[in-house]
Amino acid sequence: MTPTKLLGIPESFSDHGGGVDHMIDVVHYFMLALFVGWTLFFLYCLWRFAARRNPKANYAGVTNHVSTHLEIGVVLIEAVLLLGFAFPLWYDRTDEFEIVQKQDPNRVRVIGYQFGWNYHYPGADGKFGRIDRQLTAGVGDPAIDPDDPNGWDDFLSPSLKVPVDKPSILQITATDVIHNYSIIPMRIQQDAIPGSDIPMWFTPIKTLETYVVCGQLCGDQHGNMKGLMEVVKQSSFDTWAEEQSAASLKRNQERQQQQPAVAVN
Ligand SMILES: [Cu+2]
């Protein structure tokens, strides 16, 4: 029974999740060792310095350096945790991001708002339409420039759908206040900040249906920001994305035709 299991942390379903869980386990074993060690020390002190064993006060106090050595030991272990586990894990993630960017990942923009998540997919051309925050139609709007042809096949989704065994890069933003996009089963989260587009990435290793939540208290309905997430087979993801993209393209082309021709001189 590892600490992650004991604490009821949901199972990990991402490629890098095992590393995060290992880190959580190591920290908890260390905390357990500290707890047991300091408790024993405390009990020893109660016995060693009890009034009945020491009827006369000793003004010299402790003369050995055991506690100093213990403290140094704690500092060393903490340094090992930070330099030996946390930094390499972080380095791995940031270093691999460069590689993942070149591997034709699945890309999605995530727009947080009070109180929900909106998803913007680039469509069949793989290119997002130009984003212009001045054009926003309100809270949760992805603010796609309707005049940019790259955006005509883009489509929106009220839930997140990603293919299994393929890296997904999510660009996280918000339209009102700071939220935090958290996918606990993927062991990943990122603040959603108005005006910023911050990437986060992960590779799901199993098909499943799960939830995303908001990890930042953002208002009275914060608790309702639970959103559906589906990890599906690549083939069914492709079918879904193609359908959505084609429908969106058709809508946008019709809209384009309905618009009165602009006089060009
Ligand atoms: Cu929120």
Side-chain angles (χ1 to χ4, degrees):
M1 198 69 164
T2 56
T4 34
K5 291 256 157 35
L6 209 65
L7 293 167
I9 297 177
E11 207 186 319
S12 154
F13 293 101
S14 70
D15 188 28
H16 74 279
V20 176
D21 287 2
H22 180 62
M23 179 78 198
I24 295 173
D25 285 341
V26 169
V27 169
H28 279 82
Y29 285 130
F30 176 51
M31 288 301 141
L32 183 69
L34 276 183
F35 176 74
V36 171
W38 285 120
T39 304
L40 291 175
F41 181 68
F42 174 64
L43 294 173
Y44 167 76
C45 289
L46 286 181
W47 167 79
R48 174 65 183 79
F49 303 110
R52 97 187 100 78
R53 277 192 98 235
N54 307 272
K56 202 159 165 257
N58 173 0
Y59 294 102
V62 177
T63 50
N64 71 39
H65 298 288
V66 174
S67 67
T68 314
H69 296 321
L70 277 176
E71 288 284 8
I72 292 170
V74 169
V75 170
L76 283 179
I77 295 173
E78 276 173 2
V80 168
L81 274 179
L82 192 64
L83 302 173
F85 290 89
F87 278 17
L89 195 64
W90 180 248
Y91 175 79
D92 249 24
R93 293 289 297 159
T94 47
D95 212 36
E96 274 178 44
F97 184 60
E98 313 261 302
I99 304 165
V100 164
Q101 274 177 306
K102 293 175 194 145
Q103 285 174 341
D104 182 34
N106 168 46
R107 287 180 187 270
V108 192
R109 284 183 72 228
V110 180
I111 301 107
Y113 62 92
Q114 284 173 319
F115 292 92
W117 306 102
N118 203 1
Y119 300 92
H120 172 192
Y121 285 80
D125 66 353
K127 287 184 191 140
F128 288 110
R130 196 177 75 86
I131 304 305
D132 185 349
R133 288 190 165 85
Q134 306 290 330
L135 297 172
T136 181
V139 155
D141 187 78
I144 309 164
D145 179 354
D147 293 328
D148 180 11
N150 280 338
W152 294 352
D153 68 347
D154 290 18
F155 63 92
L156 304 179
S157 170
S159 63
L160 177 68
K161 201 184 275 237
V162 294
V164 70
D165 292 327
K166 185 179 185 179
S168 277
I169 299 182
L170 310 186
Q171 292 286 142
I172 315 296
T173 188
T175 55
D176 38 38
V177 300
I178 298 176
H179 301 271
N180 179 285
Y181 193 70
S182 306
I183 320 176
I184 309 298
M186 299 295 154
R187 301 292 187 272
I188 195 108
Q189 61 179 174
Q190 170 60 52
D191 270 352
I193 304 169
S196 309
D197 261 295
I198 309 170
M200 76 180 208
W201 74 276
F202 60 94
T203 306
I205 52 171
K206 211 175 157 186
T207 57
L208 77 151
E209 206 172 274
T210 183
Y211 291 97
V212 304
V213 291
C214 182
Q216 181 70 51
L217 189 59
C218 60
D220 59 353
Q221 304 286 313
H222 161 70
N224 290 346
M225 288 184 70
K226 191 175 169 189
L228 180 68
M229 172 187 183
E230 286 172 277
V231 181
V232 296
K233 286 212 185 82
Q234 182 75 54
S235 56
S236 57
F237 176 81
D238 290 342
T239 315
W240 172 77
E242 275 159 29
E243 273 171 22
Q244 299 284 321
S245 182
S248 192
L249 184 62
K250 192 159 168 260
R251 254 197 322 275
N252 276 303
Q253 281 169 341
E254 280 166 9
R255 180 180 53 83
Q256 252 0 71
Q257 280 156 11
Q258 279 159 13
Q259 267 174 12
V262 181
V264 183
N265 43 24

